[in-house]
Amino acid sequence: MRFLIVDDSNTMRRILVNTLRKLGHDDFVEARSGREGIERLAESPVDMVITDCNMPEMDGLAFVRAVRSNGATRHLPVLMVTSNAAAADILDARSAGITSYVVKPFSVETIDAKIRASLKSE
C-alpha cells in the first residue's frame, strides 16, 4: 500500500511513517499542507490518505473536501489524525468526508485497527 501523509509537523510525519513501518508498510508520499497534498495526489496515486486537521494554507477539512470532490480521488480512504477531540470536531470531519478519525496521541494498534476498518468500509 502507498500512503499520502499530510501534516505540517515534520515530527508528526516521522511518527506516522515509523508507525506505518512497524505495521509493515514502506511506501509513502508526504505533504506539509492540504494544498501540497492535492499536488502530491495529482503527481502520484496512493491507496490511502492520512491527514492532520490543523494546517496552514489549506486545513485538513478543506483538503478532505477537495479529495472528495475530485473524481480521481473521491474513493480514497482518509484517516484524520489530530489533537481535536471535541464531538463537534469529529462531526465536522465526518461531514467533510473522512473515513475514520484518530485522536493524538495514538498507539500502533489504534492506527492498525483504523487502517483495516477504513479499507473494509471503502
Side-chain angles (χ1 to χ4, degrees), residues 6-116:
V6 185
D7 199 305
D8 59 314
S9 165
N10 283 332
T11 301
M12 185 50 61
R13 288 195 314 273
R14 291 284 61 77
I15 290 169
L16 286 165
V17 163
N18 290 335
T19 299
L20 292 169
R21 282 192 172 128
K22 288 177 184 174
L23 296 171
H25 303 290
D26 61 0
D27 196 359
F28 315 100
V29 179
E30 296 182 36
R32 294 178 302 249
S33 70
R35 190 166 319 285
E36 191 175 311
I38 295 298
E39 292 170 7
R40 296 293 175 269
L41 285 173
E43 297 166 357
S44 177
V46 301
D47 301 299
M48 184 170 198
V49 176
I50 300 176
T51 186
D52 186 19
C53 189
N54 301 311
M55 296 181 289
E57 295 181 46
M58 175 188 272
D59 69 18
L61 296 178
F63 169 68
V64 172
R65 287 184 194 104
V67 168
R68 293 295 181 234
S69 69
N70 181 328
T73 60
R74 75 173 43 144
H75 69 283
L76 290 173
V78 178
L79 175 60
M80 184 166 280
V81 179
T82 182
S83 56
N84 297 353
D89 294 325
I90 296 168
L91 288 174
D92 287 345
R94 290 270 182 216
S95 293
I98 61 144
T99 310
S100 195
Y101 196 92
V102 174
V103 177
K104 299 174 193 173
F106 54 81
S107 67
V108 173
E109 295 78 17
T110 298
I111 294 295
D112 187 37
K114 294 292 185 170
I115 288 171
R116 290 176 189 277

